[in-house]
Amino acid sequence: MLDGKKSLFSGMQATGTITLGNYLGALKNWVELDSEEYQCFYSVVDLHSITVRQDPAELRKRARNLLMLYIAAGLDPEKNCIYYQSHVSAHTELAWILNCFTYMGELNRMTQFKDKSAKHADNINAGLFTYPCLMAADILLYQADVVPVGIDQKQHLELTRDIAERFNNIYGEVFTVPEVYLGKVGTKVMSLQEPTKKMSKSDENANAHILLLDEPDVIMRKFKKAVTDSDGEIAYREDKPGIKNLIDIYCGVTNSTVEQALKEFEGLGYGVLKERVGEAVVAELKPIQDKFYDLSKNKDYVDKVIKENAEKAGYYANKTLRKVQKKVGFPERVR
Ligand code: TYM
């Protein structure tokens, strides 16, 4: 709780233009969650991004684009605190403290660490390993009650809860223990080329993912090339991962139920199905893209959001940090 309201935190890495998976699994839910009910914090988690090597100019550009996409997708920066993680130093300070309350064995079990170290075998750095402690710091600094994410982040959330409970057991009720919030559909959007694999912006095959800023004709082309199966039946089943994924995407962007979608697609062939899904995605993303390009022409406005929201985030984050520093026994500041 913060100022008598429930608190909500989430974030995304700025390692590339985000995908339809990021959008349906997270961003779209953020927009639907009510900023009247929750005190909302949405961070561009640039500190997390450097666990993998980044080109500095590219990272800066991507981080800004991501922040603008948050706004373009419908998050009002007057009502939601939208900011860069690196602008609030309390994140790294709390992360250090939480490192000291997290066990190597726990971090070793994280599937994201295993996946990323397999992928970046030449750069298995300590930041990659302690990544979940920084993520726990993000969430706990804002006393978040809920954390809306896609299913792949659930394990990190469980670890965050364990760390919070461990800390509270030693020092009293310092942290709110957060709950994970998963949307109804789209919690795991799959690759369009290998539908048993998660859609990921780092996929080398550009046809495997839809990027939020892909042009309408590119989106249509990628859906046309989507891998399905050869039996021609439109059904929502685990043994038909390509078709199931297309239906999930359709339901995600149109807010329909699987039953409604199946009814609409009854008797159609795969070609038409792909076209319908592609059109629905274009209809959803086009207004976001237009708003994004408008915003990118409005430097002063975006700069103002960046400055004001970093101050707001810093205010709440430092409140928690000071409390934690006192609890663990750091000397009081002399004023
Ligand atoms: P990241 O940047 O990989 O992904 C951002 C959000 O998108 C969701 N997501 C998906 N959802 C459905 N289908 C997919 N194919 C898909 N791919 C990604 C993710 O679940 C996530 O919600 N560690 C986090 C960022 C982070 C964070 C936090 C999140 C840092 N601190 C604190 C919440 C709270 C990450 O790498 O997400």
Side-chain angles (χ1 to χ4, degrees), residues 8-12 21-27 29-30 33 42 135 139 146-158 179-188:
L8 183 158
F9 181 92
S10 201
M12 278 190 202
N22 298 125
Y23 177 71
L24 292 179
L27 188 51
N29 293 328
W30 302 355
L33 279 157
Y42 297 113
M135 189 163 155
I139 297 165
V146 282
V147 183
V149 284
I151 215 151
D152 61 334
Q153 294 300 319
K154 198 162 168 249
Q155 194 186 31
H156 286 158
L157 251 294
E158 280 157 9
E179 300 283 341
V180 63
Y181 176 98
L182 297 171
K184 286 186 210 75
V185 284
T187 58
K188 192 170 185 188

Side-chain angles (χ1 to χ4, degrees), residues 45-198:
V45 297
D46 46 359
L47 297 172
H48 279 104
S49 301
I50 63 161
T51 51
V52 174
R53 287 280 171 268
Q54 303 290 338
D55 174 76
E58 258 313 290
L59 177 60
R60 224 180 324 271
K61 190 171 123 205
R62 285 172 173 172
R64 192 172 173 103
N65 283 353
L66 182 54
L67 189 130
M68 290 194 291
L69 273 174
Y70 284 4
I71 304 172
L75 293 175
D76 177 353
E78 296 285 326
K79 296 188 180 147
N80 301 274
C81 188
I82 297 171
Y83 72 100
Y84 294 127
Q85 187 189 30
S86 63
H87 284 189
V88 179
S89 57
H91 286 255
T92 32
E93 293 182 70
L94 182 62
W96 169 253
I97 297 173
L98 299 183
N99 269 323
C100 303
F101 291 84
T102 310
Y103 298 112
M104 303 280 284
E106 289 175 313
L107 295 173
N108 251 325
R109 278 199 294 277
M110 296 294 115
T111 49
Q112 184 169 309
F113 171 67
K114 289 185 209 164
D115 291 350
K116 287 210 172 165
S117 27
K119 211 161 162 193
H120 304 277
D122 56 339
N123 182 22
I124 306 176
N125 60 70
L128 200 59
F129 189 61
T130 60
Y131 179 114
C133 299
L134 178 58
M135 189 163 155
D138 299 341
I139 297 165
L140 301 181
L141 272 178
Y142 301 94
Q143 305 291 358
D145 296 273
V146 282
V147 183
V149 284
I151 215 151
D152 61 334
Q153 294 300 319
K154 198 162 168 249
Q155 194 186 31
H156 286 158
L157 251 294
E158 280 157 9
L159 179 59
T160 301
R161 288 171 58 86
D162 290 345
I163 298 171
E165 279 167 1
R166 182 170 306 145
F167 198 93
N168 287 352
N169 282 337
I170 305 173
Y171 300 106
E173 292 303 304
V174 178
F175 294 127
T176 302
V177 180
E179 300 283 341
V180 63
Y181 176 98
L182 297 171
K184 286 186 210 75
V185 284
T187 58
K188 192 170 185 188
V189 177
M190 309 308 269
S191 154
L192 296 183
Q193 289 299 310
E194 282 174 81
T196 49
K197 232 177 70 180
K198 185 183 84 167

